[in-house]
Amino acid sequence: MNILVVSPEAGNWSHTSPLATAVNRMTDAFACAGAKVLTCSPFIKEKMVNADDYRSVFQGTEKLQGKTFEIMVSDKDPLHTYIYNKEYFGRPEVYGPPDEVPYTDNHLRFAFLSSAALAYAEATGYSCQAILGHEWGGALVGALSKTVYADYAKDIPFFFNVHNITYDFHVASSEIEKIGLPRENYNMDGYEFWGKVSLLKAGILYATKVLFPSPGYRDAMLNTNLPGGLSGFLNRNADKLIGIQFGVSYQFWDFNGNDMLPIKEAKRRARQALQEKLGVDFKNKMVLYVHLDSESGNTSETLATVLSDVAHLDVYIIVGVSSKNNEWGYYRDFSQQYPDVMCLQDLEEGEKKGPEQLRETLAGADVLFAASLREPSSSIILKAMAAGTLPLTGRSVGVAAMLVSYSFETAGEANAFLVEDANAPHLMLNCVRDAVNVFQTEQADWDKCVVNAYSGFHYEWCRTISKYLLLFGELGL
């Protein structure tokens, strides 16, 4: 199968974003499954690792705006193809300077990206069975395949991958023709959004199927009152929407992958190593890790509400939070007052060390405390399970629909502790108490839960892509 992929972020960047990481892992997994993937993204020199390794192998003119483009490739990065145009991608940032207003011509830049990708595929005779666009930056490839590039791509199904529905780009209706959208679909049931054009809605409108990063996230989008009337639009297109769980790279996140020790022994060693690294003594307490980053949702608020109660349980709390975060001072003061109960890890320092710090911390912990995460794929949950660490979270969190919560009846198959509403502090507190009780008094049950999480729930990217390919097959591709 040949697949054309268009994404605003992908490839060999010095600092990859969650979107780029997901697209990269998908590209790898497609290749491992035997599919041929032409993954196209912007060539932004300042973002690339060893930018001088790349060479121009094709020059062409796309049909939408009549602008020239170059195709950049490197033998050291064989799975990715980059599109360059000095006017649009000769800038240091993808969307705009950090913490500033995005580039006002982003709709033109990413319409050009989609147009150039289609122009390159057409010019080189790339026989394509499916087109996959990522986020609003890759949304317009669906419409362009039915309009400007209809001779080449009108019969090719378009799959729109929505990683996070909160990200969109809105433009004035005067720009409709400039980005290749049919004006007749500028209405409430089309791509109109409060008097402007929504690139997100355009992607959904022209998609054969819309792919969300987890089944739970797909269901939440249909059952959440999203602002601006988007809920009604999604429900009118509900038959298109499919949730396929994103994976994680176990090659990296499986802390025991090289040693292959029995998981109980591997966890014991990881716990000891973490104690030494942090300079603390967990004693015989259950170690609870709380990761507070931009995707942690209401976790911090929930923890702060129940912290004094949790501190009186037989628990040692590790809070991962950036020293630049406004909440750093609160948790620092608490940890200094109760050093036998809590310590902090500075995620700002962790950025310099890379994700190794998170992997080591998860491996040494027993439970991950995660309330209502913002991260649609809930990858932090999968990373915890790859470390044999049990997630304590809500049933509405993306991946939770695939987990089994501990109870007396489910003890043999459980791999998590789940609550009905993770925004309810008292439910999260009671769940922590339940986890402590099992940890202290039901050692056999606890050990089985750890095995179930570590060995029984192995969700690699290859599983994600196998479901993508199964979906394509069901559509006769």
Side-chain angles (χ1 to χ4, degrees):
M1 171 174 281
N2 293 348
I3 305 168
L4 172 64
V5 178
V6 179
S7 175
E9 305 174 46
N12 194 20
W13 288 7
S14 55
H15 296 286
T16 56
S17 66
L19 171 59
T21 298
V23 176
N24 290 350
R25 297 291 80 78
M26 286 185 184
T27 299
D28 295 342
F30 272 127
C32 287
K36 182 178 180 181
V37 184
L38 178 60
T39 297
C40 296
S41 60
F43 184 82
I44 299 177
K45 188 173 182 179
E46 288 81 356
K47 298 289 185 184
M48 305 299 295
V49 174
N50 300 325
D52 292 338
D53 290 343
Y54 292 82
R55 65 188 186 279
S56 176
V57 296
F58 182 91
Q59 294 183 351
T61 302
E62 51 82 35
K63 298 178 181 179
L64 177 63
Q65 301 174 34
K67 292 187 179 293
T68 60
F69 66 91
E70 292 182 76
I71 295 296
M72 308 293 289
V73 300
S74 168
D75 294 336
K76 297 179 181 178
D77 184 18
L79 295 181
H80 291 270
T81 298
Y82 301 88
I83 294 172
Y84 180 70
N85 169 276
K86 184 176 181 180
E87 177 187 355
Y88 285 155
F89 300 136
R91 311 175 191 183
E93 301 297 337
V94 183
Y95 308 108
D99 303 319
E100 295 184 25
V101 176
Y103 299 132
T104 56
D105 62 348
N106 274 345
H107 58 297
L108 300 177
R109 296 172 70 234
F110 292 108
F112 165 81
L113 175 70
S114 292
S115 180
L118 287 165
Y120 177 59
E122 182 178 32
T124 56
Y126 185 64
S127 180
C128 181
Q129 284 78 51
I131 299 172
L132 179 62
H134 290 277
E135 293 286 66
W136 66 263
L140 292 172
V141 68
L144 293 177
S145 69
K146 312 302 180 191
T147 55
V148 179
Y149 292 90
D151 289 345
Y152 167 67
K154 67 179 180 180
D155 295 325
I156 303 174
F158 170 57
F159 298 87
F160 185 42
N161 206 316
V162 179
H163 295 245
N164 192 322
I165 207 163
T166 61
Y167 298 134
D168 197 358
F169 195 81
H170 302 145
V171 297
S173 60
S174 59
E175 304 293 286
I176 287 175
E177 284 74 22
K178 295 179 184 178
I179 56 178
L181 291 174
R183 185 168 283 273
E184 61 265 25
N185 290 326
Y186 179 64
N187 54 56
M188 178 180 65
D189 294 325
Y191 53 77
E192 182 270 339
F193 188 82
W194 287 80
K196 291 188 175 182
V197 173
S198 162
L199 298 192
L200 179 74
K201 288 187 70 178
I204 295 171
L205 179 67
Y206 294 102
T208 305
K209 295 293 181 182
V210 180
L211 308 175
F212 286 93
S214 68
Y217 190 61
R218 181 261 186 197
D219 293 345
M221 292 305 95
L222 291 174
N223 296 299
T224 300
N225 188 21
L226 297 171
L230 193 57
S231 296
F233 176 76
L234 290 176
N235 277 278
R236 287 191 293 276
N237 288 277
D239 290 345
K240 288 185 179 182
L241 312 185
I242 298 175
I244 296 179
Q245 180 63 47
F246 281 7
V248 294
S249 178
Y250 276 75
Q251 185 177 1
F252 177 84
W253 290 104
D254 183 354
F255 78 108
N256 188 36
N258 292 328
D259 296 331
M260 297 296 291
L261 296 170
I263 186 60
K264 188 172 183 177
E265 174 61 15
K267 291 288 287 183
R268 185 192 68 77
R269 293 189 183 188
R271 180 187 179 99
Q272 182 61 38
L274 185 59
Q275 285 184 112
E276 294 173 1
K277 179 181 178 181
L278 297 174
V280 300
D281 185 358
F282 298 150
K283 299 181 180 176
N284 293 317
K285 296 180 177 181
M286 185 185 82
V287 178
L288 187 78
Y289 178 60
V290 189
H291 191 70
L292 303 181
D293 64 1
S294 61
E295 304 288 353
S296 61
N298 293 331
T299 298
S300 182
E301 292 88 336
T302 303
L303 176 64
T305 302
V306 301
L307 187 55
S308 60
D309 292 301
V310 173
H312 286 89
L313 302 175
D314 211 10
V315 169
Y316 192 91
I317 308 164
I318 303 172
V319 176
V321 62
S322 169
S323 54
K324 293 184 178 180
N325 191 307
N326 293 333
E327 296 167 331
W328 169 268
Y330 170 74
Y331 291 112
R332 178 201 58 203
D333 293 345
F334 191 96
S335 65
Q336 290 176 347
Q337 188 175 2
Y338 301 100
D340 293 336
V341 172
M342 177 193 285
C343 72
L344 266 64
Q345 277 195 323
D346 188 354
L347 297 185
E348 196 65 28
E349 293 182 358
E351 281 295 310
K352 300 173 186 176
K353 301 173 185 175
E356 289 85 359
Q357 175 175 289
L358 177 58
R359 180 183 60 194
E360 293 169 3
T361 304
L362 288 172
D366 299 301
V367 170
L368 172 71
F369 183 95
S372 294
L373 302 176
R374 288 194 184 96
E375 184 191 13
S377 69
S378 306
S379 72
I380 186 68
I381 302 293
L382 299 183
K383 292 167 186 174
M385 298 176 80
T389 298
L390 306 184
L392 193 155
T393 189
R395 293 185 183 276
S396 62
V397 168
V399 71
M402 305 174 68
L403 305 181
V404 179
S405 185
Y406 178 86
S407 68
F408 178 77
E409 293 80 10
T410 64
E413 55 184 338
N415 52 19
F417 289 86
L418 304 178
V419 301
E420 293 299 327
D421 182 4
N423 286 313
H426 71 286
L427 294 181
M428 291 293 283
L429 174 59
N430 288 339
C431 200
V432 174
R433 288 180 176 135
D434 291 342
V436 171
N437 181 61
V438 178
F439 182 82
Q440 291 179 331
T441 65
E442 305 291 342
Q443 190 62 54
D445 282 1
W446 185 271
D447 291 345
K448 180 59 176 174
C449 286
V450 171
V451 170
N452 291 340
Y454 177 71
S455 303
F457 193 88
H458 198 87
Y459 212 101
E460 261 279 12
W461 278 106
C462 60
R463 288 184 64 179
T464 304
I465 293 307
S466 68
K467 292 187 177 182
Y468 275 45
L469 293 174
L470 180 62
L471 172 63
F472 296 165
E474 290 172 351
L475 294 174
L477 305 185

